[in-house]
Amino acid sequence: MTHVRIIARLDIKGPNLIKGVHLEGLRVVGDPHQHALRYYEEGADELLFIDIVASLYQRNNLSDIIKRAADRVYVPITVGGGLRSLDDVSRMMHSGADKVAINTAAIARPELISEVARRYGSQCMVLGIEAKRVAPGRWEAYTDNGRERTGQDVVEWARRGVALGAGEILLTSVDQEGTRKGFDFPLVQQVCDAVNVPVTASGGFGRAEDLAAIAATGVSGIAIADALHWKRMTLAEIKSHAAAAGLDVRPAAHVQVRP
């Protein structure tokens, strides 16, 4: 059986939890802290917080949100968006993050991957990749929340990032993100085949049937936002479908949040 982590993804803009389609057309969902607590109570294996405008404004404003969450939940927390230096990473780690996801700054200065891995360990250094299809079987890495082209081939960049010290990859399909049409399975398969570190697939989860198909690629994690935010499925339902499909998932036992 393939062990797969079910991860609740929370994209943040200012004080709000938001959701879009193709990382655009953003709608306010609500208070990120309350949603994070609900997902933890429902059995999320990890929480993923992304400040989606941080790279645009060259800063990450999630410290307070992370501190509040880390004080009340007991699953790993990954933080991404606008992290450009070891000082930025240190601030997030001291706020309670277990891992950091870096995309734009890693493209601009790949040495940052090695610096973070050396100081905090490869398990803390998650390479964020925003992928857009440019031809059949080919994808380009984008930055700045899917706005800017880099000219980097996604699969080649994934290999290089791991060689530099990344211990995990967060792979977001911009084409599928928010569409509910399923993951970009060929994209995920190629990246999983290319690297020997855990890969988390994000973007496109729509139906229970998507779980078995994406697990067959060899992913380690599945990041879900839309289905949770709009209550199309609970984490218990998602994990039940995953287990029925033959995936090894942690049971979604109810947990108590510390007051």
Side-chain angles (χ1 to χ4, degrees), residues 8 15 50 53 60 66 68 75 82 105 138 152 164 186 208 220:
I50 303 290
V53 294
N60 184 300
I66 301 307
R68 291 181 69 195
V75 294
R138 289 191 60 246
Q152 293 267 16
L164 287 167
S220 169

Side-chain angles (χ1 to χ4, degrees), residues 49 62 70 239:
F49 293 87
L62 296 185
K239 289 194 169 188

Side-chain angles (χ1 to χ4, degrees), residues 118-191:
R118 280 196 298 268
R119 178 170 295 187
Y120 295 104
S122 290
Q123 77 283 353
C124 294
M125 175 59 229
V126 180
L127 178 63
I129 300 179
E130 295 168 353
K132 284 188 181 182
R133 191 180 301 106
V134 292
R138 289 191 60 246
W139 297 265
E140 182 179 345
Y142 274 63
T143 61
D144 297 298
N145 206 45
R147 297 183 185 91
E148 299 295 331
R149 302 188 67 164
T150 68
Q152 293 267 16
D153 177 81
V154 162
V155 177
E156 292 178 2
W157 173 232
R159 288 196 187 100
R160 185 181 179 201
V162 171
L164 287 167
E168 185 174 337
I169 290 176
L170 170 63
L171 180 62
T172 300
S173 169
V174 179
D175 302 301
Q176 301 300 108
E177 195 275 334
T179 66
R180 307 180 184 177
K181 294 180 179 179
F183 299 94
D184 189 333
F185 300 105
L187 164 67
V188 178
Q189 186 69 72
Q190 284 201 31
V191 173

Side-chain angles (χ1 to χ4, degrees), residues 21 23 73 115 154 204:
V21 178
L23 302 180
V73 306
E115 293 169 3
V154 162

